[in-house]
Amino acid sequence: MKRKQGPLYQQIQKILKDRILHGVYPLGSIIPSEPQLEKEFGVSKMTVRGAVQELSQEGYVQKKSGVGTIVMRNTSHQKLSKGKRFTELLVEEGHKLEKRVLNSQIVTNDEGTEEFGRFGLYCQRIERLYILNGQPYIHLIHFLATAALPGEGMREMNTDIQSLYDSLEENDIMLENFRDRFFVEPAPPEVCKLLEIPVGMHVLKRLRNSFDGEGRLIEHSIGCYNTELHHYLVSYDT
């Protein structure tokens, strides 16, 4: 917990919401009690109550006398739910999903790719790993335009984030359009190691470009999915 990242109760609220959205606290379950949360986060009772109250106002939890605080909803209602739908489907199926940030840094335009070049001279590169029910499932690399970074200059987006798309929205970056391309090809050796799969194993590869309402490219991501662990369903609108 870092005070410079905003009020502590809001940080705790985001962490608890992320746990709900990713199946750590399943629908109908009881979240840890206030004393347990006070001990975990090292904060006061009022701070914890403020966090839980925020969750309650958003409809995620409900306090019941003599029972505790129950999870009432585990899906997002924000504008970017279209971009999060696959995560929500996994949680609805009863899976537990964890996200780990492996690396984050500002990089210069020396990648030599068309997508990277569209960001200009600089962008932020974030590498993440999704863990499904305790097993590595998705390896993701995101490139974010400097327009999506908070403040002026070359400040990095906070990588201790619960949701990349939530963080963009909190910085007033609204994604309106997603364009995906899919391939099946051998995963790079370093990705095989992270996903704990045999070297040279074929995986589903997804390239995503995310645009704001003015058509500006905000995010380019490269994802490798171990579909041996769980299928990835692609639906095409007609």
Side-chain angles (χ1 to χ4, degrees):
M1 304 295 295
K2 300 177 181 178
R3 292 188 180 277
K4 66 180 181 179
Q5 293 178 4
L8 294 179
Y9 80 92
Q10 289 184 352
Q11 294 183 51
I12 294 171
Q13 180 261 349
K14 290 178 183 178
I15 293 172
L16 296 178
K17 183 170 76 171
D18 185 69
R19 291 176 180 176
I20 291 172
L21 293 177
H22 294 91
V24 179
Y25 304 147
L27 191 65
S29 68
I30 300 173
I31 70 171
S33 65
E34 289 183 359
Q36 288 174 312
L37 294 174
E38 292 168 33
K39 183 177 180 180
E40 176 183 354
F41 296 109
V43 297
S44 68
K45 180 180 296 185
M46 292 300 296
T47 299
V48 168
R49 285 185 177 176
V52 175
Q53 184 176 1
E54 288 281 317
L55 285 175
S56 179
Q57 290 176 351
E58 292 185 8
Y60 288 101
V61 300
Q62 180 180 345
K63 282 189 174 183
K64 291 193 176 182
S65 180
V67 178
T69 302
I70 300 175
V71 177
M72 305 299 293
R73 181 165 64 86
N74 63 356
T75 56
S76 173
H77 59 80
Q78 298 190 14
K79 296 178 182 178
L80 295 174
S81 59
K82 178 179 174 183
K84 305 174 191 173
R85 188 57 185 163
F86 180 57
T87 296
E88 292 180 359
L89 285 172
L90 290 173
V91 175
E92 288 171 2
E93 292 176 0
H95 298 287
K96 178 180 177 181
L97 193 65
E98 176 190 353
K99 300 176 183 179
R100 296 179 186 172
V101 176
L102 304 179
N103 183 269
S104 175
Q105 60 183 322
I106 296 292
V107 293
T108 57
N109 185 10
D110 56 4
E111 294 287 319
T113 64
E114 178 183 353
E115 291 86 359
F116 187 93
R118 293 173 65 183
F119 289 119
L121 186 58
Y122 301 100
C123 69
Q124 182 172 357
R125 179 186 185 276
I126 302 175
E127 183 178 7
R128 300 199 294 173
L129 186 67
Y130 282 25
I131 311 295
L132 182 68
N133 302 324
Q135 295 182 271
Y137 176 41
I138 307 171
H139 175 264
L140 280 165
I141 296 177
H142 307 270
F143 294 99
L144 295 178
T146 53
L149 306 184
E152 299 179 356
M154 292 308 303
R155 291 178 56 196
E156 294 185 44
M157 176 179 286
N158 170 33
T159 55
D160 186 23
I161 52 178
Q162 308 309 313
S163 167
L164 177 64
Y165 293 143
D166 276 345
S167 296
L168 288 172
E169 188 170 287
E170 288 170 5
N171 284 288
D172 296 322
I173 303 294
M174 304 299 179
L175 300 183
E176 301 291 345
N177 187 16
F178 300 90
R179 297 178 186 173
D180 291 342
R181 288 182 287 164
F182 297 92
F183 309 86
V184 174
E185 61 184 30
E190 62 274 14
V191 174
C192 290
K193 183 176 181 181
L194 289 168
L195 293 179
E196 299 179 3
I197 59 177
V199 175
M201 177 175 168
H202 283 69
V203 297
L204 175 69
K205 185 175 182 179
R206 188 203 72 191
L207 302 182
R208 165 169 288 181
N209 285 342
S210 305
F211 302 85
D212 65 10
E214 298 180 6
R216 294 178 300 181
L217 178 66
I218 299 297
E219 175 220 16
H220 172 65
S221 64
I222 305 167
C224 290
Y225 295 68
N226 177 11
T227 51
E228 292 281 323
L229 186 61
H230 191 283
H231 296 307
Y232 184 93
L233 180 62
V234 181
S235 296
Y236 291 93
D237 294 329
T238 56

